[in-house]
Amino acid sequence: KMKFASEGVTISPVPAGDITAVRPGMGHYHLGIDIDCLAPGTEIKKGEKWIHYGKGDTEADTQLSPGSHKLTLAVGDDKHVQIPGACTTITVNAGAAR
């Protein structure tokens, strides 16, 4: 179980429809598993390494295989572009299931 928190940015759902402009100071979370932060201004593409929380979620559950993993939390704008200064990576050790 993970809980996310940020300072200096408001976490909000991505607006519906075509996004033509981003809302300044607003974003949503992206969780990268076994991947580092991207360069600021880079689009965070959906895929097996990134989980998008476009509904403005601030909590998540995930299952990791046993062993060491890097977890990267990035805040992206409405177009899923990484906001400068809004990414961090930690290392966790997942134990075997009981």
Side-chain angles (χ1 to χ4, degrees):
K1 179 126 185 126
M2 296 173 284
K3 292 185 180 188
F4 311 137
S6 296
E7 293 179 3
V9 64
T10 300
I11 301 303
S12 177
V14 176
D18 292 332
I19 307 297
T20 58
V22 298
R23 298 169 295 162
M26 300 187 112
H28 62 284
Y29 291 115
H30 300 79
L31 177 66
I33 299 174
D34 294 326
I35 192 167
D36 292 315
C37 290
L38 302 172
T42 301
E43 180 182 356
I44 306 167
K45 297 188 181 206
K46 289 184 180 179
E48 64 184 57
K49 297 264 183 189
W50 288 102
I51 303 167
H52 289 243
Y53 297 100
K55 294 180 181 178
D57 307 68
T58 59
E59 295 185 9
D61 291 324
T62 191
Q63 298 293 319
L64 299 170
S65 60
S68 181
H69 295 278
K70 287 192 287 187
L71 298 180
T72 298
L73 187 65
V75 179
D77 64 20
D78 292 330
K79 291 187 174 186
H80 305 281
V81 173
Q82 187 170 303
I83 295 173
C87 185
T88 192
T89 300
I90 64 169
T91 300
V92 298
N93 189 30
R98 295 181 186 189

